[in-house]
Each structure stands twice: as structure tokens, then as C-alpha cells.
Amino acid sequence: MTTQTKASETKPGAGIKAGRPFSGVRILDFTQVLAGPYASYQLALLGAEVIKIERRGGEDMRRTPLSREWADRNMASAFIAVNGNKRSLTLDLQKPAAREVVLKLAAKADVVMENFRAGVMDRLGLGYAALSAVNPGLIYCAISGFGQTGPASNEAGYDGKIQAMSGIMAITGHPEMGPTRAGFAVCDVLSGATGAFAISSALFQRTHTGKGQLVDVSMLEASLAFLATQVADYTVAGHHQPQAGNQAISRKATANLFRAKDSFVLLAVNDEKQYRALMTGIGRADVLDDPRFSDWFLRKENEAALRAIIEQALAAADSKIWERRLNDAGAPCASIWKVEEIIDHPQIVERNVMQTVDSPWGRLRLIGSGFQMAHGGGRLDTLAPEVGADTNAVLNEIGYDDAAIATLRAEAVI
């Protein structure tokens, strides 16, 4: 019996997937950990029926070591974060009977997703060739480290490995500190977002071609695609990207991190009007007449002196005060917000970004879609499923009666 429950918010349309962009789309989701589940989560928020197929006992993301309490529940917070609105079916894919279940499900599915190494699903008899044979209109999305072809296609793909290979680490951090990894699994989520976009593209294409297809998402390629400007800086202009610390890619002297009284302020001052607003806002309008800083080239040449002037002024007040004061003056900036602070920012609260869902352990706050729509936008309706919560229901839907399900359970297929 499932413990999924409806979202506790009462906004119009909450808990109703009808009318959302992917309402009526059925996805068989074999993905695990983050990149694949993040992709299917985006589609589930937008109305797709996602059947998450896990091994018996559940996938590893259910037991991340951040919290023993939640890991013991098989519901680690990282798992909950990207598996809402899904149903859970457990299968031992090594068993022939499990293959029969998958073939029956695939015959009625719109999309299959997996993020195993290239060739794994083929060896199980569940790859694109096998599943498209029973459903020619099937869209089969494979997310892997390096794609389904090429000399590295059989290598494992992990976020840190892709950060290192893609160029992200080489341009992140301070030169004196060496390459720096991003503070979150950036390549996993970029690949997941790319996967969701690719599936959406294939579904749209199918509306006028009637054809299914294999969608091949490489984490390396997806991550590299997000470095489009850095790649062009080299391939077009021959520029080698350095580590620039906290400085913006504009390389403007006033688009960087500056120390205030209590913490730091990130200035995003990139044009002349903003520069004048900054100097006026910090009470140093006199600097506007200083010949050392009369244009952006001179400001860069004299960056150390300009930084000293700015930080001396910022030392007079806390970062949050400067954030309000300078933004009001027309000088874009932000103090450094922690995750636990930003989720309660008035802007986030006003736009109902945080979703609230009931669980057996109380009400939980989670992030839904990263965009809003006038009609049929993404909503979090149900908590991430407990392991195998929907196994019986899903099997009933494809013709297995209670006796047949009992046999599959006795044979450890489910």
C-alpha cells in the first residue's frame, strides 16, 4: 500500500495533473542516483506518469549517509528531492519474468529512461532495439557519462569526473588554490535538465512524424554545451580561460567579491551607469573624478587601489545592509545567502517556489519546477514513493492478477 499523499497546498489545480504539458505521457524510469532521476522529476512535475523501476530494496540514493535517520527509512533527503510525483515498482532485471513485465509495460509507454553504462540494457534484452520492437513509437532516452558510442562509451560517468574533464574545474576557483569542484553536483543536474529537454523535443517531434527514436545524452557533452561561451572564446578568439576566482566573465574590476563588515558582497557592476551608482552609493562620489579610474581599462590596471577604496567603504556596514542600499541605488549586488536563508527570501515566498507535501514523518518542504507557467505549470503532488509502493497496482494495470503477483514475489522477481 502506497504512502503517497496529496500536496497540502490549496492553490487551484494542486494535486491535479490533467491539463499539464505532459499529462497522459507514461514514462518507464530505470534511472538512479541523480542525473536521470532529476530529468524524470522535471517531467513528473509537468504531469507525466513516471513509473520508477528499482531493484528490490531500492536504489542507492535512498540511503545517502547525510542522515542515518532518513537512510534507515530508505528515504534519504536527496532521494526525496528528485523523486516526487513518481510511482515505484521493484524488479530484479536479471530474472526472465522481469523482462516479460518490462516488455508489457513498454508496449504501453511513451518514454523509457535509463542511465546505465552503454550496453547494459542491451545485455539484459531491454535495450532500444528490443523495446522499440514491441512499441515502434517509443522514445528511449539513455543518459550516460560519455554517450552510447565512442572510445569512452563504456566508462562510468560520475559528476566529479565530468566536472574535471569538461573544463568546469579548470576555470573554477583561485589560481593559488588549484582547480575547484562546484559546490553541488552541477554536471548531474545539467545532464538531467538536458535529458528532460531532449525527451520533450522527441515527444514534440513525434507529434508530426509519428516516430519514436533513441535519445543519447552524454554527461560530458551536456556539460560542455553549457560552456558555449568559454569554448568559443578559445576556438574563435584563441583565449585560454584562467581561473578567475569570484570575478565575473566580463572581467570588470567591479564585478567581483568584496569584503563588508560581517561577510561579503558580490558586486555585479558592469556598466558606467552602475559604476556611478556604486561610487555614489558607498559615499565615494569623489572617486568618479579620479583619473586612475576614468575608464574600464584604467580601472582594471588599478584594480587593487579601487578594491581598497570599495572595501574600506563597505567595512562600515553589514553585507545585507549594503545589498539593500546598493540595489536601491542602481548598483546590482548580493550578499552571500545560505541555502537555509534563501528558501525564505521574500521573493521565493511570494512566488510559492517552495512546495509543501505531507509525509508519514510530517510536512516536508521541497523545490519543484524552476519556472512558472500561466497554464499547467509544474506542481509537486506526491511525496517520493517508498520502495515498491506501487508494484501491485502497476502489475494489476498490465494484466497480472493477485495470484500471478504472489508468484512473482515468491520467486523474488519483485
Side-chain angles (χ1 to χ4, degrees):
M1 180 176 178
T2 180
T3 59
Q4 293 181 12
T5 52
K6 294 296 182 184
S8 59
E9 295 180 340
T10 58
K11 291 182 65 177
I16 302 172
K17 291 189 177 184
R20 297 188 202 173
F22 296 110
S23 177
V25 172
R26 173 174 278 198
I27 298 174
L28 304 186
D29 181 13
F30 293 88
T31 66
Q32 54 191 326
V33 188
L34 185 52
Y38 185 85
S40 58
Y41 180 54
Q42 306 312 305
L43 302 173
L45 289 169
L46 292 168
E49 178 196 358
V50 177
I51 300 173
K52 183 177 180 66
I53 300 175
E54 303 180 74
R55 64 177 175 270
R56 298 172 73 246
E59 63 143 305
D60 289 343
M61 197 71 158
R62 288 181 174 275
R63 295 173 292 278
T64 56
L66 183 65
S67 164
R68 183 177 295 277
E69 177 186 10
W70 286 95
D72 286 347
R73 293 169 176 163
N74 244 356
M75 294 288 278
S77 55
F79 175 82
I80 289 175
V82 294
N83 285 287
N85 287 11
K86 301 179 186 179
R87 307 169 77 192
S88 174
L89 164 69
T90 56
L91 283 176
D92 181 348
L93 296 179
Q94 301 287 342
K95 302 285 180 69
R99 182 175 183 274
E100 294 304 313
V101 171
V102 173
L103 291 175
K104 289 182 179 181
L105 286 168
K108 297 181 179 181
D110 296 285
V111 179
V112 165
M113 299 176 62
E114 53 103 337
N115 63 346
F116 300 110
R117 294 193 198 190
V120 168
M121 289 289 275
D122 287 322
R123 290 192 291 275
L124 291 170
L126 298 172
Y128 175 65
L131 299 188
S132 63
V134 299
N135 183 353
L138 186 68
I139 292 163
Y140 185 106
C141 179
I143 301 175
S144 62
F146 303 95
Q148 301 300 297
T149 60
S153 60
N154 287 322
E155 289 188 24
Y158 290 94
D159 177 81
K161 180 176 179 177
I162 304 300
Q163 285 198 43
M165 293 183 68
S166 64
I168 290 175
M169 286 181 65
I171 62 173
T172 303
H174 300 266
E176 65 273 18
M177 299 295 290
T180 304
R181 183 172 179 166
F184 70 108
V186 60
C187 293
D188 273 335
V189 296
L190 291 181
S191 300
T194 299
F197 177 60
I199 290 168
S200 303
S201 301
L203 284 167
F204 177 75
Q205 188 176 41
R206 193 178 67 178
T207 64
H208 56 270
T209 67
K211 297 179 180 179
Q213 62 181 300
L214 174 66
V215 177
D216 182 0
V217 178
S218 155
M219 290 179 64
L220 179 60
E221 293 163 27
S223 300
L224 196 58
F226 278 83
L227 273 66
T229 57
Q230 287 76 20
V231 170
D233 282 346
Y234 172 70
T235 60
V236 175
H239 177 67
H240 294 267
Q241 294 288 340
Q243 289 175 298
N246 292 300
Q247 190 167 54
I249 60 173
S250 69
R251 300 299 186 256
K252 298 290 180 66
T254 51
N256 209 329
L257 191 70
F258 294 82
R259 183 176 290 279
K261 182 178 181 181
D262 65 327
S263 181
F264 296 89
V265 175
L266 192 288
L267 296 180
V269 173
N270 284 288
D271 64 32
E272 199 63 31
K273 182 180 179 181
Q274 293 168 352
Y275 176 71
R276 298 184 69 83
L278 170 65
M279 290 305 159
T280 302
I282 65 173
R284 292 301 307 268
D286 59 295
V287 174
L288 296 173
D289 298 320
D290 192 319
R292 294 177 298 170
F293 314 122
S294 59
D295 63 27
W296 289 109
F297 295 99
L298 287 169
R299 290 165 199 160
K300 190 66 177 174
E301 289 178 18
N302 297 286
E303 185 171 3
L306 183 58
R307 170 175 283 275
I309 291 169
I310 294 170
E311 290 194 329
Q312 182 180 32
L314 294 180
D318 288 346
S319 57
K320 290 287 194 298
I321 294 174
W322 284 117
E323 180 182 56
R324 292 192 298 271
R325 187 180 297 173
L326 293 178
N327 279 316
D328 287 346
C333 70
S335 58
I336 307 303
W337 291 71
K338 296 177 181 179
V339 171
E340 55 266 34
E341 296 172 326
I342 194 61
I343 60 174
D344 290 317
H345 189 288
Q347 181 69 15
I348 299 299
V349 173
E350 173 66 24
R351 288 172 58 82
N352 295 306
V353 174
M354 297 300 295
Q355 308 270 301
T356 304
V357 65
D358 291 328
S359 84
W361 308 283
R363 301 179 74 184
L364 305 178
R365 298 175 69 204
L366 302 166
I367 288 285
S369 296
F371 59 91
Q372 299 193 16
M373 299 171 66
H375 307 288
R379 298 293 303 165
L380 177 61
D381 304 315
T382 58
L383 181 69
E386 293 186 61
V387 179
D390 306 285
T391 296
N392 285 21
V394 171
L395 292 177
N396 280 153
E397 290 165 11
I398 57 173
Y400 287 81
D401 60 22
D402 292 345
I405 293 172
T407 298
L408 292 175
R409 200 172 296 282
E411 295 174 351
V413 175
I414 59 175

